[in-house]
Amino acid sequence: MSLDLLKIELERSAALEALVDAAWEGAGVGSEASARAAAGLCSLSLNHGRAIRLLLLEVPPSATALMRPQFETLVRAVWARHAAKESDLARLLAQLTVESQQAAKKLPGVPEMLAALGTLGPRGAAALLGRARARLWDGLNSHVHGGIHPFQRGESGYPTQLLSDLLKNTNAMTMLTVIMLAELTGNAEFVAVMSALHHEFADVLPELEPLPT
């Protein structure tokens, strides 16, 4: 893949991001704790995705490292909506203090959240997110912790095809937030929006398997 083609994909991805952002900004989300937590986490996941796109060409090691928090916040959003206990939501939504920071350490990690979603989440959601984790986790951990992946890429460079694949995975997680938006607003039209966007931006998306409802 040429650098010029990757730049075109970045422009297309920015257009997709703008449409997804507009959908979130124009939506009304319920006031219940699970909805507030999920909406805030989806917004954070979208922000990580935006940062990845902005950094991809200039600072690819940092862009790659941000894909793990983008994924984790998406998982936590689905978990918050469907599987979190009231005590967990209270810890997550508490005002930031030294005490609440310590209490938040009791929040579950990704394996525990996926296990809970396997029982309480939408049909197939845990399996879908678990497959994404299995494909991406080792490489993302290496980038987050300064392992062999970023070290060797620093020596040899980042192939444009690798950056394109990363961009498409990032876009897929951005798209999956639209499914959460449909749930949080109760507006099934957002599922149609996702379908339309998937068709229009298929060139910058992997084969996307949406969260079952």
Side-chain angles (χ1 to χ4, degrees):
M1 165 177 280
S2 70
L3 180 59
D4 286 342
L5 183 55
L6 179 58
K7 289 179 178 178
I8 291 172
E9 289 186 345
L10 281 164
E11 291 174 359
R12 294 276 293 153
S13 299
L16 171 62
E17 171 195 306
L19 292 171
V20 173
D21 283 348
W24 273 94
E25 290 173 4
V29 175
S31 60
E32 64 270 26
S34 64
R36 289 165 50 214
L41 289 161
C42 281
S43 179
L44 184 56
S45 183
L46 291 173
N47 283 335
H48 288 316
R50 181 176 304 110
I52 290 169
R53 287 183 280 277
L54 292 173
L55 293 171
L56 193 67
L57 292 182
E58 297 298 327
V59 198
S62 299
T64 306
L66 281 170
M67 195 168 182
R68 176 175 160 177
Q70 184 192 16
F71 172 76
E72 287 192 4
T73 47
L74 176 61
V75 172
R76 196 173 292 277
V78 181
W79 165 84
R81 182 57 172 167
H82 293 284
K85 300 175 183 176
E86 289 187 12
S87 57
D88 289 326
L89 292 171
R91 292 188 183 101
L92 190 60
L93 294 169
Q95 291 294 315
L96 183 58
T97 64
V98 173
E99 292 76 15
S100 64
Q101 174 182 287
Q102 289 300 113
K105 292 180 180 180
K106 297 180 181 179
L107 289 169
V110 170
E112 293 79 17
M113 288 188 289
L114 290 175
L117 284 170
T119 302
L120 301 171
R123 178 176 55 85
L128 167 61
L129 294 168
R131 286 193 293 274
R133 182 176 185 266
R135 288 195 302 269
L136 301 171
W137 205 246
D138 286 346
L140 297 184
N141 283 344
S142 183
H143 274 83
V144 167
H145 299 299
I148 188 172
H149 282 259
F151 181 81
Q152 289 297 330
R153 293 301 179 193
E155 296 286 311
S156 61
Y158 284 76
T160 53
Q161 185 59 56
L162 176 66
L163 296 179
S164 174
D165 291 342
L166 172 66
L167 179 65
K168 289 178 180 179
N169 284 323
T170 294
N171 291 340
M173 283 188 272
T174 294
M175 285 285 285
L176 288 175
T177 65
V178 181
I179 293 293
M180 284 301 303
L181 183 58
E183 288 192 38
L184 295 174
T185 61
N187 187 346
E189 291 182 4
F190 283 115
V191 178
V193 169
M194 180 177 177
S195 178
L197 290 176
H198 190 192
H199 177 74
E200 181 178 351
F201 291 94
D203 56 316
V204 289
L205 290 167
E207 190 66 31
L208 190 60
E209 180 185 353
L211 287 178
T213 56

